[in-house]
């Protein structure tokens, strides 16, 4: 079974600074997807970024980028120019690429605080 | 024009009662899910339906029964509610192998 680990329960960053959230995962599969979801206090789950395991290029979405290290099974999220609205719980998630593997396996989450 | 909607958003009930949470998606997706988020914010899959067929059934008490009347709806019925059922329940949908879109969540409190 796949597992996802986020070793930082809490992180804080100053507004306009850069922060990196860590995620490691364990799997025996070679084809899969990785995601970062954001959950603000409204509790809505919002997809931040997605990475296909077969792609070597790291995904980027505006101020959000990932560092995907397949051999190390590491998938960190970098938030540049942090904004107050980035404050939220961030979840790393894994999904198998097999047709029957549609579930998301989540990490424990990292609570990000953005200080003005 | 909400993509994935859930009703109700808040549900407070007594132990032993039976309750349902409804989920609807208007994205044309063929797969729908129920996740449970516990008090420590941990999210875990409960059920998944693809084209009205149950494809994932995690180790969930049989007091929980999902029902999918059509591809756009996946309801969750819970019998004999217990204190430990208090949590936030999320519905989600996707096309197979694509990213999942989540509903706003239903906060269930069992007294």
């Amino acid at each position: 079974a796949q597992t996802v680990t986020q070793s930082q329960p809490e992180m804080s960053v100053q507004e306009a600074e850069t922060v990196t959230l860590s995620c490691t995962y364990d799997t025996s599969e070679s084809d899969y997807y990785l995601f970062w979801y954001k959950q603000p206090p409204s509790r809505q789950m919002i997809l931040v970024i997605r990475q296909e395991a077969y792609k070597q290029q790291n995904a980027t979405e505006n101020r959000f980028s990932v560092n995907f290290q397949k051999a190390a099974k590491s998938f960190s999220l970098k938030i540049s120019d942090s904004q107050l609205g980035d404050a939220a719980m961030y979840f790393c998630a894994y999904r198998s690429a097999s047709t029957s593997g549609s579930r998301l396996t989540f990490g424990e989450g990292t609570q990000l605080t953005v200080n003005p | 024009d909400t993509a994935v909607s859930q009703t109700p958003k808040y549900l407070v009930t007594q132990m032993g009662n039976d309750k349902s949470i409804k989920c609807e998606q208007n994205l044309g997706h063929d797969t729908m899910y129920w996740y449970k988020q516990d008090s420590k914010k941990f999210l875990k899959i409960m059920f998944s339906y693809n084209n009205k067929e149950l494809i994932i059934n995690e180790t969930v008490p049989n007091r929980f029964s999902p029902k999918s009347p059509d591809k756009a709806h996946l309801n969750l019925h819970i019998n004999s509610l217990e204190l430990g059922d208090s949590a936030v329940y999320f519905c989600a949908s996707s096309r197979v192998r694509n990213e999942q879109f989540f509903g706003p969540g239903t906060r269930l409190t069992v007294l």
Side-chain angles (χ1 to χ4, degrees), chain B residues 4-53:
Chain B
V4 183
S5 60
Q6 293 179 229
T7 52
K9 289 199 173 118
Y10 297 92
L11 185 53
V12 181
T13 188
Q14 299 287 332
M15 277 176 53
N17 284 350
D18 302 339
K19 290 293 179 184
S20 292
I21 305 172
K22 296 185 177 181
C23 178
E24 176 181 4
Q25 55 95 2
N26 61 6
L27 298 167
H29 291 164
D30 48 18
T31 307
M32 296 184 72
Y33 314 80
W34 279 108
Y35 289 87
K36 179 180 179 179
Q37 186 173 43
D38 63 23
S39 58
K40 295 183 179 178
K41 299 285 186 87
F42 188 67
L43 277 149
K44 189 173 179 184
I45 185 77
M46 299 175 69
F47 302 103
S48 174
Y49 271 75
N50 178 257
N51 287 320
K52 297 170 51 180
E53 181 182 345

Side-chain angles (χ1 to χ4, degrees), chain A residues 1-42:
Chain A
Q2 296 82 19
T3 58
V4 178
T5 302
Q6 293 176 248
S7 58
Q8 305 154 317
E10 297 175 344
M11 290 282 285
S12 63
V13 63
Q14 291 296 125
E15 197 174 3
E17 297 293 308
T18 296
V19 65
T20 299
L21 307 184
S22 300
C23 173
T24 58
Y25 58 94
D26 189 27
T27 183
S28 58
E29 297 178 324
S30 59
D31 197 13
Y32 49 87
Y33 302 91
L34 295 165
F35 305 87
W36 280 97
Y37 279 87
K38 167 185 177 181
Q39 186 178 39
S42 67

Side-chain angles (χ1 to χ4, degrees), chain A residues 44-97:
Chain A
Q44 178 70 53
M45 293 289 289
I46 302 165
L47 178 65
V48 174
I49 201 164
R50 156 192 171 133
Q51 175 80 44
E52 290 88 345
Y54 64 86
K55 289 187 177 178
Q56 292 189 338
Q57 187 173 6
N58 289 325
T60 299
E61 286 288 341
N62 301 315
R63 298 182 295 106
F64 299 87
S65 62
V66 298
N67 184 2
F68 173 48
Q69 302 288 328
K70 191 172 184 179
K73 295 180 183 173
S74 169
F75 182 61
S76 61
L77 174 70
K78 186 171 83 171
I79 307 174
S80 303
D81 185 25
S82 297
Q83 300 176 0
L84 295 178
D86 295 333
M89 180 74 90
Y90 286 80
F91 293 97
C92 178
Y94 170 103
R95 204 193 79 221
S96 170

Side-chain angles (χ1 to χ4, degrees), chain A residues 43 50 95 102-103, chain B residues 9 58 97-100:
Chain A
R43 80 165 179 251
R50 156 192 171 133
R95 204 193 79 221
S102 58
R103 77 183 68 195
Chain B
K9 289 199 173 118
E58 283 296 289
R97 306 183 73 171
N98 282 3
E99 50 262 38
Q100 297 180 18

